[in-house]
């Protein structure tokens, strides 16, 4: 069986859904401490075994890995806000590095040696050339990126020293929502651009704050490579197959190779919603590189993977989610049932 850490989170929940769709006879187990994740994101199917625990709890993880005879860990659980990581580095080193090393210790004790890891384009830092391929220097300029780079390095060390097989997937900007309406993006607080723009469109926020309009980009705002969360999810399924067939370690960028500025994203949101979106310029956000755009040729070549969604389709799916079946807004209000505590 596969174990998914952080399966109640945004990307983890989309991966689980795609995995269950791809393998109708399989079940998965997810471990989530529900500090950020939503129970609704994993409660729609009896094929998801939900275990409430922190993946940094070695004894709990050993018990779980044994109980479910886990072969492969797909590791999403992490703190993931660039801005917060600058303000509270300790939280990021603790959650993303220390807890992950504890998870690896539990895996080592159970002889589980296969990992698909959620890494990030934030490990690259400021672009030295564009689009960025996997051999681009990794010089992160924010704490979040540093913690993910450290985990990549730990995986490489486990692979060399202990024969583990892993694939690290460097996501560019995950966005959009599954068409089912069952799952989507809801961070509390929300910090990501597309949901914030769509909430401004609905009048739930006064205006979208644009962090910096003096970058060295054509319109002065930051450029990112927005990729649909289901495109990311599918890549993980290919990554599991890949690492089982190719022992050792590999890293892949996951992006669309198309960059969009903050102002361009707002324009697309206006087109999709048909609404005027109030906006205001604000200072730069510490830790933001001006441009991040992927070269994803390697994933296409070796994983046989390609993106299916462009930015208008991403925004369309996010808009349906924002208007519709979104989880109840507070995690406490959303608590239904109580997964087994271990
Ligand atoms: N951004 C912005 N206003 C916001 C949130 C984000 O201008 O309220 C910008 C941010 O500075 C970055 C881009 O939008 O250039 C994407 O940010 P997001 O937080 O969505 O993802 P990140 O790139 O940090 O992973």
């Amino acid at each position: 069986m596969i174990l998914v850490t952080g399966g109640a989170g945004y990307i983890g929940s989309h991966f689980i859904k795609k995995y269950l769709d791809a393998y109708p006879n399989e079940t998965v187990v997810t471990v989530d401490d529900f500090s950020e994740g939503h129970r609704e994101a994993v409660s729609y199917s009896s094929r998801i075994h939900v275990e409430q625990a922190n993946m940094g709890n070695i004894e709990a993880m050993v018990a779980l890995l044994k109980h479910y005879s886990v072969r492969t860990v797909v590791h999403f659980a992490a703190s993931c806000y660039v801005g917060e990581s600058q303000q509270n580095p300790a939280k990021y080193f603790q959650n993303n590095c220390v807890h992950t090393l504890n998870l690896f210790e539990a895996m080592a004790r159970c002889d589980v040696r296969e990992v698909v890891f959620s890494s990030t384009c934030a490990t690259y830092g400021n672009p030295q050339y564009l689009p960025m391929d996997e051999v681009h220097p990794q010089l992160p300029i924010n704490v979040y990126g540093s913690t993910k780079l450290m985990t990549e390095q730990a995986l490489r060390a486990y692979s060399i020293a202990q024969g583990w097989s892993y694939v690290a997937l460097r996501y560019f900007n995950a966005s959009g929502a599954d068409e089912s309406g069952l799952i989507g993006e809801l961070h509390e607080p929300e910090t990501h651009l597309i949901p914030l723009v769509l909430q401004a469109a609905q009048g739930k926020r006064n205006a979208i704050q644009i962090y910096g309009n003096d970058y060295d980009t054509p319109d002065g705002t930051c450029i990112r490579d927005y990729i649909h969360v289901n495109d990311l999810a599918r890549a993980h399924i290919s990554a599991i197959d890949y690492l089982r067939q190719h022992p050792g370690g590999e890293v892949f960028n996951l992006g669309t190779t198309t960059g969009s500025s903050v102002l361009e994203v707002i324009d697309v949101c206006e087109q999709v919603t048909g609404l005027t979106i109030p906006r205001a310029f604000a200072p730069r956000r510490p830790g933001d590189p001006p441009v991040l755009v992927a070269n994803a040729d390697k994933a296409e070549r070796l994983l046989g993977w390609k993106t299916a969604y462009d930015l208008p389709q991403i925004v369309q799916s996010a808009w349906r989610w924002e208007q519709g079946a979104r989880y109840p807004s507070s995690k406490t209000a959303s608590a239904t049932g109580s997964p087994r505590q271990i």
Side-chain angles (χ1 to χ4, degrees), residues 5-208:
T5 71
Y10 174 43
I11 305 175
S13 61
H14 283 78
F15 162 70
I16 289 176
K17 179 144 193 320
K18 283 280 161 236
Y19 186 87
L20 294 179
D21 289 348
Y23 298 107
N25 298 321
E26 289 203 22
T27 61
V28 301
V29 55
T30 185
V31 60
D32 203 299
D33 66 1
F34 293 97
S35 59
E36 306 278 345
H38 304 275
R39 288 171 204 276
E40 293 85 351
V42 285
S43 59
Y44 61 88
S45 170
S46 58
R47 291 163 59 208
I48 308 171
H49 305 282
V50 180
E51 297 285 0
Q52 182 167 4
N54 187 294
M55 52 93 185
N57 179 337
I58 298 175
E59 283 69 35
M61 294 310 298
V62 165
L64 230 149
L65 291 165
K66 285 186 178 155
H67 180 75
Y68 288 98
S69 305
V70 171
R71 172 172 177 188
T72 308
V73 174
V74 187
H75 178 31
F76 294 96
S79 297
C80 66
Y81 302 129
V82 168
E84 185 190 50
S85 78
Q86 299 297 93
Q87 284 151 14
N88 191 355
K91 174 178 174 182
Y92 280 69
F93 284 108
Q94 185 68 33
N95 287 348
N96 296 359
C97 298
V98 175
H99 289 172
T100 294
L101 291 176
N102 286 351
L103 168 69
F104 291 171
E105 170 61 18
M107 289 171 59
R109 288 188 197 173
C110 299
D111 204 24
V112 176
R113 298 157 170 253
E114 295 179 356
V115 189
V116 177
F117 172 58
S118 299
S119 190
T120 168
C121 60
T123 59
Y124 293 124
N126 288 319
Q128 297 186 9
Y129 56 85
L130 289 162
M132 303 159 107
D133 58 17
E134 290 83 355
V135 298
H136 185 286
Q138 288 180 291
L139 299 166
I141 62 165
N142 53 58
V143 173
Y144 169 64
S146 298
T147 62
K148 290 288 185 171
L149 177 57
M150 286 180 186
T151 307
E152 280 194 15
Q153 289 166 339
L155 275 172
R156 187 160 179 273
Y158 270 98
S159 177
I160 293 168
Q162 299 285 318
W164 287 24
S165 291
Y166 73 94
V167 166
L169 298 172
R170 293 181 188 150
Y171 311 152
F172 283 65
N173 282 60
S175 40
D178 190 59
E179 283 80 6
S180 65
L182 289 170
I183 51 176
E185 181 169 19
L186 178 57
H187 296 105
E188 292 178 317
E190 189 53 76
T191 66
H192 292 114
L193 181 65
I194 291 177
L196 289 176
V197 173
L198 295 176
Q199 288 164 20
Q202 290 174 302
K204 290 182 179 167
R205 293 176 190 270
N206 291 338
I208 180 70

Side-chain angles (χ1 to χ4, degrees), residues 173 191-193 196 208-211 222 224 226 285 288:
N173 282 60
T191 66
H192 292 114
L193 181 65
L196 289 176
I208 180 70
Q209 305 284 316
I210 298 168
Y211 295 146
C222 282
R224 295 286 181 274
Y226 296 89
R285 183 174 67 178
D288 268 345

